[in-house]
Amino acid sequence: GAVVSQHPSWVICKSGTSVKIECRSLDFQATTMFWYRQFPKQSLMLMATSNEGSKATYEQGVEKDKFLINHASLTLSTLTVTSAHPEDSSFYICSAVSSSGTHEQYFGPGTRLTVT
Amino acid sequence: QQQVKQSPQSLIVQKGGISIINCAYENTAFDYFPWYQQFPGKGPALLIAIRPDVSEKKEGRFTISFNKSAKQFSLHIMDSQPGDSATYFCAATLAGTASKLTFGTGTRLQVTL
């Protein structure tokens, strides 16, 4: 149990276009999901906290107009990178927190974004 | 106060040896300390976690030692295997809530034959 999926697993897009990444909790409900960014050989950097039915809370330095987060249901959160640029190329990882029990965070497999 | 310091940055251990990774935290409000294992190109996976009311937790070859007074905790991997080669992250958070994790900087472990 406690499986989190991400789609797509990798994506290549041209500079200036927008890309949407989906994060789904497959077998549990998640009131809260987190979005992280990870550069090669570095730790995970929290970008934002996504709460179902409300606006996301962004970490300091993260542009909310560039990284649009929507958490429309208890099993789905989306991250849209708008007007992507090469510096947005990174590994994006989501995690979902079970609404019941231990509130453990379960991580998705990540999405590799390359902007050309 | 939100930092979690992790060492070493990288570690090479022979097969069968013991791998030890250390972390130190500053925020005394933290009360849940998970360790994650991450393989290249994959998301982190929970390995083992501990709460500060115990000094040690063991699951198979993996053991967490916790020193509340020193605000330190460590991961021991006994009988290390090549398949353990991965990056390990310690983290800290507040238990029982959907609180964000504060991650350590990671340790790249390589287990050689």
Side-chain angles (χ1 to χ4, degrees):
Chain A
V3 178
V4 177
S5 70
Q6 281 185 242
H7 179 79
S9 56
W10 59 270
V11 57
I12 302 172
C13 70
K14 291 187 176 181
S15 188
T17 61
S18 296
V19 174
K20 180 184 285 188
I21 302 171
E22 293 185 349
C23 176
R24 292 181 185 273
S25 56
L26 298 185
D27 50 3
F28 65 98
Q29 292 185 330
T31 307
T32 301
M33 292 184 175
F34 296 95
W35 285 96
Y36 297 86
R37 185 174 182 175
Q38 187 177 36
F39 292 106
K41 298 184 181 181
Q42 292 191 21
S43 188
L44 284 78
M45 182 191 79
L46 180 65
M47 299 175 64
T49 302
S50 169
N51 291 300
E52 187 265 339
S54 62
K55 290 184 177 180
T57 302
Y58 291 82
E59 295 298 301
Q60 192 173 9
V62 178
E63 299 177 60
K64 62 180 180 181
D65 294 331
K66 181 166 187 61
F67 298 100
L68 300 179
I69 292 172
N70 183 277
H71 193 155
S73 77
L74 287 173
T75 60
L76 173 65
S77 176
T78 60
L79 168 68
T80 302
V81 183
T82 63
S83 186
H85 289 94
E87 57 264 31
D88 298 325
S89 299
S90 190
F91 193 51
Y92 292 88
I93 307 171
C94 71
S95 70
V97 181
S98 173
S99 300
S100 61
T102 63
H103 293 96
E104 189 64 65
Q105 275 195 45
Y106 301 98
F107 285 84
T111 295
R112 173 75 58 192
L113 170 63
T114 302
V115 184
T116 61
Chain B
Q1 268 210 323
Q2 294 297 320
Q3 280 189 317
V4 176
K5 296 180 180 178
Q6 183 171 347
S7 63
Q9 187 175 3
S10 63
L11 182 61
I12 299 175
V13 173
Q14 278 196 325
K15 179 182 175 182
I18 302 173
S19 304
I20 301 174
I21 305 170
N22 301 298
C23 284
Y25 63 99
E26 299 175 357
N27 188 347
T28 55
F30 289 145
D31 58 0
Y32 185 67
F33 303 89
W35 283 89
Y36 292 89
Q37 179 189 58
Q38 185 180 29
F39 293 103
K42 304 293 184 184
L46 177 66
L47 197 58
I48 186 173
I50 196 168
R51 297 179 192 273
D53 52 346
V54 295
S55 60
E56 185 175 282
K57 183 175 181 180
K58 183 176 181 179
E59 289 185 2
R61 296 185 293 111
F62 302 93
T63 300
I64 301 179
S65 297
F66 188 86
N67 185 330
K68 187 175 180 178
S69 61
K71 293 187 288 185
Q72 295 175 347
F73 58 109
S74 60
L75 175 69
H76 295 234
I77 306 175
M78 312 299 288
D79 187 27
S80 298
Q81 298 297 313
D84 297 330
S85 298
T87 299
Y88 293 82
F89 294 97
C90 63
T93 188
L94 301 175
T97 62
S99 293
K100 51 190 178 183
L101 292 162
T102 299
F103 280 95
T105 50
T107 296
R108 298 185 74 189
L109 171 65
Q110 182 182 353
V111 181
T112 61
L113 294 172

